[in-house]
Amino acid sequence: MNNVLIFAFLFFIGSCLGWCMEVFFRRFFSKANPERKWINPGFLSGPYLPLYGFGLWGMYAVSALSSVAMTSSKALDVVIILVIMAVVMTIIEYIAGIIFIRGMHVKLWDYTKEKGNIQGIICPKFSVIWGMLGCVYYFLINPYVVGWVYWLSRHLAFSFFIGMFFGVFAIDLWYSLNISGKVRQFAQEKDIVVKYEELKDYLAQQREELEEKKHFLLVFKTEQPLSRQLEKYSEHMELLKKQAEKLKQVKENIKAFGDEVKTELEERKEELMEDHRHE
């Protein structure tokens, strides 16, 4: 069977399943979503995440190494495969992140608060998570994926539906790139990097305040022009930045006052001890 068709098939499955996984993770486990809202993740509008499409194809390709004896130990070979999976997924995540930051002035995710992060795009914590997902894939999912690929080879008519998927995907990509182009222009004018998830969350809050109709997929669809919403978003983020700076200054002042009081108390204690020795 054509390798291009296999890639297209795995990209289709991985993108859709990855989107489902992200939706449930953000709804029930993400600390960034304390309100436990349903959030449409990613850059595109539809129910698919290309990162996971490329990821599934990468893990499928790496799993093929199981047929090669890399060492004298089968267990060690499996460990090596799992490490390679984690590295491959981290590389894919980094490439995707850097493309959007440098090309679009948009940050789709932000790991700046995570230890050991690189440019806020990748970090050890999520590399470990990718490794754990790779472990789940290798032992539980890969046999099914191999079976799906075999099934596709015997039912090539299904490629019609894969073609339909990529048709919808292409339209969605054009629509999303059109929006991101406006966001990019705005970011360049303001000399900032727009955090996509923050922007989507802000637009959702605006719709709630204005009692507009909610849009789970078309998150950028609002009654006001996008340019106006971006200006309001910029003003909102600038206000939050100033509030954070004021809060930081207050904490520093409190700390300085506490240190000053502590120093005075220690000096007073020493004076009392000195007076007591003289008595």
Side-chain angles (χ1 to χ4, degrees), residues 6 10 54-67 81 84-85 88 137 142 145:
I6 293 177
L10 294 178
F54 287 109
L56 179 60
W57 175 78
M59 288 192 287
Y60 174 80
V62 172
S63 295
L65 293 174
S66 60
S67 61
I81 288 174
I84 293 175
M85 283 184 178
V88 167
Y137 171 82
N142 187 59
V145 174

Side-chain angles (χ1 to χ4, degrees), residues 8-278:
F9 179 59
L10 294 178
F11 184 87
F12 160 62
I13 294 176
S15 297
C16 295
L17 292 181
W19 181 87
C20 293
M21 184 174 69
E22 280 281 347
V23 167
F24 278 92
F25 173 79
R26 296 183 185 219
R27 173 64 175 80
F28 297 105
F29 304 104
S30 176
K31 293 180 180 179
N33 181 27
E35 298 88 1
R36 296 293 168 235
K37 298 178 181 179
W38 290 103
I39 298 174
N40 181 20
F43 166 71
L44 300 170
S45 299
Y48 30 72
L49 290 174
L51 175 67
Y52 288 91
F54 287 109
L56 179 60
W57 175 78
M59 288 192 287
Y60 174 80
V62 172
S63 295
L65 293 174
S66 60
S67 61
V68 180
M70 292 178 284
T71 67
S72 58
S73 171
K74 179 65 176 177
L76 183 57
D77 285 352
V78 172
V79 172
I80 292 174
I81 288 174
L82 296 179
V83 171
I84 293 175
M85 283 184 178
V87 172
V88 167
M89 288 302 301
T90 301
I91 291 174
I92 292 174
E93 186 176 38
Y94 181 78
I95 292 174
I98 206 69
I99 286 174
F100 277 93
I101 290 176
R102 293 186 178 179
M104 300 290 185
H105 287 256
V106 167
K107 182 173 281 191
L108 296 182
W109 58 86
D110 188 9
Y111 296 156
T112 51
K113 294 182 180 180
E114 300 292 342
K115 294 182 180 179
N117 76 85
I118 299 177
Q119 298 173 270
I121 302 173
I122 56 175
C123 66
K125 174 183 174 180
F126 278 86
S127 291
V128 171
I129 291 175
W130 287 128
M132 294 169 62
L133 288 175
C135 184
V136 172
Y137 171 82
Y138 184 80
F139 290 106
L140 300 178
I141 302 176
N142 187 59
Y144 292 100
V145 174
V146 172
W148 296 339
V149 172
Y150 176 75
W151 177 88
L152 180 64
S153 67
R154 298 176 62 86
H155 300 82
L156 292 178
F158 187 77
S159 59
F160 170 77
F161 295 98
I162 298 176
M164 287 182 60
F165 163 79
F166 277 96
V168 174
F169 180 85
I171 295 172
D172 192 346
L173 182 62
W174 174 84
Y175 170 79
S176 300
L177 286 175
N178 184 43
I179 291 176
S180 67
K182 297 177 182 178
V183 175
R184 178 176 179 269
Q185 183 180 358
F186 172 80
Q188 286 179 324
E189 291 174 356
K190 298 292 184 179
D191 193 26
I192 59 174
V193 173
V194 175
K195 296 181 180 180
Y196 228 57
E197 295 301 322
E198 280 186 356
L199 176 57
K200 290 196 296 185
D201 183 58
Y202 172 76
L203 293 177
Q205 291 178 9
Q206 287 294 297
R207 278 195 292 268
E208 288 183 2
E209 291 177 5
L210 298 174
E211 297 183 350
E212 295 181 9
K213 182 179 179 181
K214 295 182 180 179
H215 296 280
F216 179 69
L217 295 179
L218 301 175
V219 293
F220 287 96
K221 185 177 181 180
T222 60
E223 294 181 3
Q224 296 185 9
L226 181 59
S227 57
R228 175 57 185 153
Q229 291 284 28
L230 288 172
E231 287 291 344
K232 291 172 65 177
Y233 163 76
S234 178
E235 295 170 1
H236 174 72
M237 297 310 297
E238 186 64 28
L239 178 61
L240 291 180
K241 182 179 179 181
K242 290 180 179 179
Q243 290 176 344
E245 290 174 352
K246 288 182 179 180
L247 180 60
K248 181 180 178 181
Q249 185 62 47
V250 170
K251 288 182 177 179
E252 290 176 353
N253 291 339
I254 292 174
K255 184 177 183 299
F257 177 74
D259 293 340
E260 185 178 340
V261 170
K262 182 180 179 181
T263 301
E264 291 180 0
L265 289 174
E266 289 177 350
E267 291 176 353
R268 181 59 179 162
K269 180 180 179 181
E270 290 177 0
E271 291 176 0
L272 291 173
M273 291 178 66
E274 186 69 23
D275 292 342
H276 181 70
R277 280 197 294 270
H278 287 308

